[in-house]
Amino acid sequence: MGMELMEIFGHLGEAEQTAADPNLTGGDLTFGDNNESDEVSLEGLQDELEHLQGQKMVSNILGQGSQLREYARDVEEKLRLVELESIQDYMKESDNLVSLHAQIRECDTILTQMETLLGGFQADLGSISSEIKSLQEQSMSMGVKLKNRRAAELKLARFIEEVVVSPNMIDTIVDGEVNEEYLRVLQVLSKKLQFLTDNTVLKDSAAMKDVIPELEKLRVKAVSKIREFLMQKLYALRRPKTNIQILQQNVLLKYKYAATFLHDHGREVYPEIRAAYVDTMNKVLSAHFRSYIQALERLQLDIVTRNDLLGVEDAVTRGSGLFSRAKEPLKNRSAVFALGDRASVLKDVDEPAIIPHIAEASNIRFPYEVLFRSLHKLLMDTATSEYLFCSSFFGDDTIFNDIFSGPFGVINEHLNAVLPNSFDAIGLMLMVRLTYHHQLVMSRRRVPCLDSYFDKLNLLIWPRFKLVFDMHLTSLRSANVRTLWEDDVRPHYVTRRYAEFAASLLQLNKDYGDGQVLDLNLERLRVAVDDLLVKLARMFRKQKQQTIFLINNYDMVLAVLKETGNEGGKTQQQFEDLLKSSSTVFVEEELREYFEKLIAFVKTRAGEDAGASNPQPITLEEVEPLVKDFAVRWKGAIEVMHKDVITSFSNFVCGMEILRAALTQLLLYYTRLSDCLKRVTGAADLGKDVVSISTIMYEIKKYSRTF
């Protein structure tokens, strides 16, 4: 119906809709008999219409009043028709509406039943929730009880396990032999005893009162049997020719838990076992080291005596009297000051110790540093084995010092007897270096037990080395020059001693951290030997011989230092300077011997002519004798100088360098003379007597090739 009304109003135009508006019409504004419409007051409307009648718009509107009423009646009629049709439609659908009403009531009934059922379910769920909550509380309570019962059961089971003493354990401890099974039972007994110690509160329980006396009896019996067993094994260490390390590794370490048991539960017996082991090993090792040292002493080769000092007269050069002491073989005397093959002992640090009876059967003798290395190799191996055993067996490495107090005493006694009688500075320095290498070996093994011993050993050796070194120094400073002097310009044997000695110490000082101390002492020694050489040189009558003597000795020192393959450092540099200065002196003396007037003229007149402000002219009479004399004698003089150098210097290479320097200096002098001739009036007349520079250079090259 609403759609039909819209269609009706849709056919009205804009003007028609305006005319049909009841609010804009001045006629009958009521539609039919509709008494329910709102009453509208029209008072004063007539006056207003009359007043506005003259306006065109109002007149038009009022003229269309009848048409609007017709439209209104038409619309009202249509509405009535639509209403009647709607009523007819409702009447046609009345059965359906009755059926729909019945269905709605039926649904309402069903929903009411559902509501009742759901209300019952809700009540049931509330009841179930309370029951579940109750069950949850009961479950939690039962869980707590179960946990407590399990904890109590665990503690009770442990308590029963710890306090119950099985018959098998009693039989094993009382009647069983000490073996691996016995050690396993000991571990069980130890746990039970430890349990009693840790839980003092439980001692008042009835079970504990019954068990404690039985466990104490088992403890006493076990301690007694273990003590007897270990004492037997310790006594076995005292038997002659017993391999101690094998017995320790294969027997004692196998039963080390027995010592642990005594330490934990046999405090009244453990100190006795410990003291017995210390006493046994102390005596056994002391005896072993004493016998080994005695065997090594029979192999010692004495190279150096108290008379083998740098500044002492060589015994070989003196006549041997009837009652003179027997001398060391010459092949061994060479090692008194020279290092030689003795340094090889530093490479043999890790080699096995010497077996004395094999070496003695082969009639082999060794310098003391070799015996020193062998002794300390044995000490390091023995100490390492003993330290590790004590740490494992007793769990205490402090016992090592108690055991080795005896062996240390034997070795110190030996060293205190040997070192005061040792005058071998090279051997002492080798011992210092060996001690350093031994410390490195023990450090690599991570065994610190010999650290303090090696520190004390260094404090024994270094002062002795310093004392022997000072003896060498004193022998040079207080040497009897007249006794040592020999009428020979070749290198002195004292110089060779010094060179070998210094080269040996420099070689042993390489790559070590105590170089400054040794360098200072070597400098003192160098000054002393240089002073002695100067004193010996002054014993020669001629200055030339003194210079030759010094050159030969300086050159020999440098040759020995370079021969070792080491950088001589400051010592070598100082001797090179001494050799250079002495060589310069010799060159001047040698040239002055044959060309004295030429040299004097060049140094005086040639220099005066070149540098004076008012130089006195050089005359022909001054230079003519010099030129003619040089032309006559220069070749012969060079030949004599050549022979003189050959016979004077023991080192041909050094002689060649000195001869070359002398001839070069001669060439310089003659060149200066030639420069003077250019300024002399009439010098051209001397042309036939003037030797050309090229001729002299050719002669110099010829003698240089001779070498």
Side-chain angles (χ1 to χ4, degrees), residues 170-179 182 186 217-232 258 261-262 269 273:
I170 297 174
D171 294 339
T172 302
I173 292 177
V174 175
D175 301 325
E177 296 182 359
V178 179
N179 50 27
Y182 195 89
L186 275 184
K217 293 178 183 178
L218 291 177
R219 185 196 70 81
V220 173
K221 184 61 177 180
V223 167
S224 175
K225 292 194 71 171
I226 293 172
R227 175 191 173 281
E228 182 180 357
F229 174 79
L230 291 179
M231 292 299 289
Q232 290 177 356
F261 184 85
L262 291 182
V269 174
I273 297 297

Side-chain angles (χ1 to χ4, degrees), residues 427-537:
L428 290 169
M429 182 53 65
L430 284 170
M431 290 161 61
V432 171
R433 300 311 179 208
L434 282 171
T435 302
Y436 172 77
H437 286 290
H438 290 156
Q439 288 175 313
L440 292 181
V441 170
M442 296 303 290
S443 177
R444 287 194 296 268
R445 294 180 181 180
R446 301 181 183 275
V447 177
C449 57
L450 294 181
D451 290 351
S452 60
Y453 168 79
F454 284 130
D455 292 338
K456 294 177 182 178
L457 185 60
N458 274 322
L459 294 178
L460 284 176
I461 301 175
W462 268 111
R464 184 61 192 176
F465 170 79
K466 184 63 169 56
L467 178 62
V468 175
F469 188 92
D470 289 342
M471 292 174 65
H472 285 289
L473 185 62
T474 303
S475 69
L476 291 174
R477 291 174 175 175
S478 61
N480 189 335
V481 179
R482 295 186 178 277
T483 304
L484 293 176
W485 182 75
E486 297 175 352
D487 191 9
D488 190 350
V489 295
R490 290 177 296 180
H492 199 276
Y493 58 82
V494 171
T495 306
R496 174 164 288 280
R497 290 176 182 173
Y498 164 78
E500 293 175 346
F501 185 68
S504 300
L505 293 182
L506 286 171
Q507 186 173 350
L508 291 176
N509 189 40
K510 186 178 180 181
D511 300 329
Y512 293 95
D514 48 10
Q516 293 183 352
V517 177
L518 195 57
D519 288 342
L520 179 62
N521 287 316
L522 285 174
E523 176 60 17
R524 295 167 58 207
L525 196 67
R526 185 201 63 78
V527 173
V529 77
D530 189 30
D531 292 342
L532 179 60
L533 289 177
V534 173
K535 293 177 183 178
L536 290 172

Side-chain angles (χ1 to χ4, degrees), residues 294-318:
Q294 291 173 354
L296 289 181
E297 289 175 346
R298 294 193 294 270
L299 303 176
Q300 183 173 346
L301 176 64
D302 293 326
I303 297 177
V304 183
T305 65
R306 68 172 55 248
N307 296 322
D308 292 319
L309 301 174
L310 292 176
V312 175
E313 183 182 359
D314 193 356
V316 177
T317 61
R318 295 178 295 181

